Amino acid sequence: MTDDTTLDRRRFVQATTAAGATLLLAGCSGGGGDGGDGSDGSDGGDSSDGSDGSDGGSGGDGGDTQYLAEEPDYGGWFDGANNYEQTVDATGQDEVTVDVGAGDGLAFGPAAVAVSPGTTVVWEWTGQGGGHNVAAESGDFESETVQEEGHTFEYTFEEPGTYEYVCTPHSSVGMKGAVVVQ
Ligand SMILES: [Cu+2]
């Protein structure tokens, strides 16, 4: 009878394979493929043709920027706004940075961002486009107006909702933003 030996050997092989697989998995998990680096939106903002929101299919950009699967309804808030295309999905992060003076200097970057409750949004001045501030339409937060590169202002969003804000000096030329807390 050779049954016993065969069984033993099979068990041994299974054990080894399992261990090998675990090792392989462990080895892989570090460097998961991150696709090519997205082109860093160097689109010079204010074309003066009043395009109305309906933008035909925006081609997929192979960058690392994630967008919300379903675009929130901003009720026309972003009509004529600079640097707005879609809402960047930054949910699940403790802290998110938004540039003040992005693009041609008169924009927020990203203009629209979605975060989770409890997230702190840090606005960071680029130094471009003159003096800016960050002022919530609701009055929930308002920064000073400054120009200095590297200046920051932060606000922690606790309650779900849509928070629209502007740069007061440049709101009339489309410097608007929104934070969606979901
Ligand atoms: Cu401004």
Side-chain angles (χ1 to χ4, degrees):
M1 288 230 182
T2 57
D3 281 350
D4 287 354
T5 2
T6 314
L7 259 180
D8 280 354
R9 189 173 299 144
R10 193 181 301 145
R11 265 195 211 115
F12 178 71
V13 168
Q14 279 173 349
T16 327
T17 313
T22 310
L23 272 177
L24 261 178
L25 275 175
C28 280
S29 61
D34 47 347
D37 56 335
S39 58
D40 53 347
S42 54
D43 50 336
D46 55 351
S47 51
S48 53
D49 54 344
S51 64
D52 56 348
S54 58
D55 51 341
S58 49
D61 51 344
D64 43 14
T65 303
Q66 301 272 345
Y67 296 104
L68 285 185
E70 195 173 329
E71 190 64 8
D73 179 6
Y74 293 103
W77 173 248
F78 280 117
D79 290 355
N82 301 332
N83 203 35
Y84 168 74
E85 285 177 34
Q86 290 181 71
T87 302
V88 171
D89 182 358
T91 53
Q93 301 180 33
D94 293 337
E95 189 176 294
V96 171
T97 302
V98 174
D99 286 341
V100 180
D104 61 359
L106 299 179
F108 294 102
V113 64
V115 303
S116 300
T119 298
T120 298
V121 173
V122 179
W123 285 270
E124 184 169 350
W125 274 245
T126 65
Q128 303 300 306
H132 305 294
N133 77 346
V134 174
E137 285 293 280
S138 62
D140 285 343
F141 51 86
E142 182 169 357
S143 77
E144 311 167 77
T145 301
V146 296
Q147 183 167 1
E148 175 202 351
E149 179 182 355
H151 181 76
T152 59
F153 171 74
E154 61 182 57
Y155 184 80
T156 300
F157 293 86
E158 303 289 357
E159 298 296 325
T162 299
Y163 297 80
E164 292 146 351
Y165 64 90
V166 297
C167 162
T168 310
H170 301 125
S171 62
S172 63
V173 290
M175 190 162 176
K176 299 160 128 188
V179 176
V180 180
V181 183
Q182 56 179 213

